[in-house]
Amino acid sequence: MYENNSIIRFDWAAKRILRDKANFGVLEGLLTVLIGENIRIQQLLESESNQNSMDDKFNRVDIKAENSKGEIIIVEIQLTREIYYLERILFGVSKAITEHISLGNKYNQVKKVYSINILYFDLGKGGDYLYHGTTRFVGVHTGDELQVNMKEGDLIRMRIPSEIFPEYYIIRVNEFNQVATTPLEEWMEYLKNGIIREDTSTPGLKEARKKLQYLTMSKQERAAYDEHINAIMIQNDVLDTAKMEGRAEGRAEGRAEGRAEGRAEGRAERNAEIVQAMSRQGFTVETIAKITGLSTVDVQSLVQ
């Protein structure tokens, strides 16, 4: 199924491989390229939001880390569309802040958070593949940026809010359609197409090429990875089918009732094929229902 030099998808590596301290260099490379400064991960952090479960097969993969400056970095990889994704980003950042300040601590113990969001779905309208957001307080009449007094040790210095408030990066993987000539573009090429150049010097990618080879995994790991890829293919098929059906139904409004019934029958047959294929792959009734939007009763009737 894979060539000898095939590289494991980043979403799978983030879930299974990059959590090993020996492999931190891959993630550090991506963060260094994105944030523009040398990032070193001290440790991975755990919370309710980054625990693995069967239901996260198609959704996010969370990595929550602390860098050498004590700042928190959240990495989320989202494979399927989520309508309220911006709200979830905000919730995740807020939760990370509150989880890491104890009751009674002074507010100077609040940690800066970086939220890195790698999206494989269409979030909305925008021409770029990378967006960066910060919090700034700008004078309504003067246009100047507010600076505030901060105490560090025995000194008082001026800081701007963006040094304290969270920073957000949204990477729209599917929007990248360029020839990779910069470190960021090389990372995008890997995230989208799984390609890493043999002579790469981009931070993190040299390590990824060495440590994320498909054939270096055990037989059991390869089987689990193959199932993951098959699941993504089935999921994409489900979503593409739904989009095509939606467009077809829109064009067919006002046509004869017989044609509508034909579409309904065709849709039912296609749903049955998808459900049965997923069932053969070992997915539970509950998981199939969640992905397809069918009820558990309908799914059970189709797999019997």
Side-chain angles (χ1 to χ4, degrees):
M1 183 174 182
Y2 296 93
E3 299 175 359
N4 290 346
N5 62 347
S6 292
I7 310 297
I8 301 166
R9 281 176 57 109
F10 186 77
D11 60 288
W12 178 265
K15 181 189 283 270
R16 301 297 184 93
I17 300 173
L18 301 185
R19 295 177 182 274
D20 187 333
K21 189 170 184 178
N23 299 325
F24 280 2
V26 176
L27 184 59
E28 289 171 345
L30 172 59
L31 299 175
T32 295
V33 169
L34 268 182
I35 297 174
E37 60 180 87
N38 194 26
I39 300 295
R40 287 290 174 263
I41 295 174
Q42 295 298 105
Q43 60 177 330
L44 295 186
L45 305 171
E46 292 296 334
S47 72
E48 294 177 8
S49 64
N50 65 346
Q51 301 294 325
N52 290 333
S53 70
M54 287 301 295
D55 290 336
D56 70 7
K57 185 183 293 292
F58 307 105
N59 293 310
R60 69 180 182 274
V61 177
D62 289 339
I63 292 181
K64 186 178 176 188
E66 184 178 67
N67 68 13
S68 56
K69 295 192 291 186
E71 299 167 330
I72 298 172
I73 299 170
I74 302 171
V75 180
E76 286 195 359
I77 303 171
Q78 182 77 12
L79 302 178
T80 58
R81 182 171 179 79
E82 186 165 327
I83 298 297
Y84 301 109
Y85 193 76
L86 289 183
E87 290 85 346
R88 204 188 76 199
I89 291 175
L90 177 61
F91 178 81
V93 167
S94 302
K95 188 172 180 61
I97 292 172
T98 56
E99 281 180 341
H100 294 279
I101 182 170
S102 301
L103 186 64
N105 282 359
K106 293 182 179 180
Y107 288 123
N108 65 351
Q109 298 299 310
V110 169
K111 296 185 177 184
K112 182 177 175 71
V113 176
Y114 294 89
S115 176
I116 315 295
N117 301 274
I118 303 173
L119 308 184
Y120 286 84
F121 68 92
D122 182 14
L123 181 66
K125 186 177 181 180
D128 208 333
Y129 61 83
L130 175 64
Y131 287 84
H132 177 220
T134 61
T135 300
R136 300 173 64 232
F137 292 88
V138 179
V140 173
H141 303 99
T142 61
D144 66 318
E145 187 167 359
L146 177 68
Q147 299 184 55
V148 296
N149 294 325
M150 299 290 296
K151 185 176 180 180
E152 294 185 352
D154 295 327
L155 301 176
I156 300 294
R157 64 174 291 243
M158 305 296 289
R159 295 180 69 182
I160 57 176
S162 59
E163 295 181 74
I164 305 163
F165 281 75
E167 290 189 34
Y168 304 88
Y169 292 84
I170 294 180
I171 303 172
R172 304 168 72 210
V173 176
N174 294 336
E175 299 302 313
F176 177 73
N177 294 301
Q178 300 173 204
V179 176
T181 59
T182 68
L184 176 59
E185 290 168 352
E186 284 196 48
W187 260 103
M188 294 301 302
E189 189 173 45
Y190 167 49
L191 292 176
K192 183 174 183 178
N193 302 315
I195 296 173
I196 301 178
R197 302 176 184 180
E198 292 185 8
D199 60 347
T200 185
S201 59
T202 293
L205 289 184
K206 186 174 183 179
E207 293 88 340
R209 185 172 177 80
K210 181 190 303 181
K211 297 181 178 182
L212 304 184
Q213 292 283 342
Y214 174 77
L215 292 182
T216 63
M217 294 193 293
S218 67
K219 184 177 180 180
Q220 182 179 6
E221 289 171 335
R222 288 200 297 271
Y225 181 69
D226 291 345
E227 180 184 352
H228 175 70
I229 297 300
N230 288 336
I232 291 173
M233 292 174 64
I234 293 171
Q235 171 208 237
N236 289 338
D237 189 29
V238 170
L239 296 177
D240 289 342
T241 300
K243 288 179 182 178
M244 288 188 293
E245 288 173 350
R247 287 194 293 267
E249 288 175 1
R251 290 192 300 267
E253 283 183 5
R255 293 180 181 176
E257 184 178 341
R259 283 185 156 182
E261 291 177 356
R263 287 196 304 272
E265 291 176 3
R267 188 160 56 251
E269 291 176 1
R270 184 58 179 154
N271 283 340
E273 291 174 1
I274 293 171
V275 168
Q276 289 163 9
M278 296 183 74
S279 178
R280 287 194 295 271
Q281 290 290 333
F283 295 101
T284 65
V285 169
E286 290 75 16
T287 300
I288 296 173
K290 182 177 179 180
I291 295 167
T292 61
L294 299 172
S295 70
T296 54
V297 174
D298 289 339
V299 172
Q300 287 173 335
S301 68
L302 292 172
V303 298
Q304 290 176 351

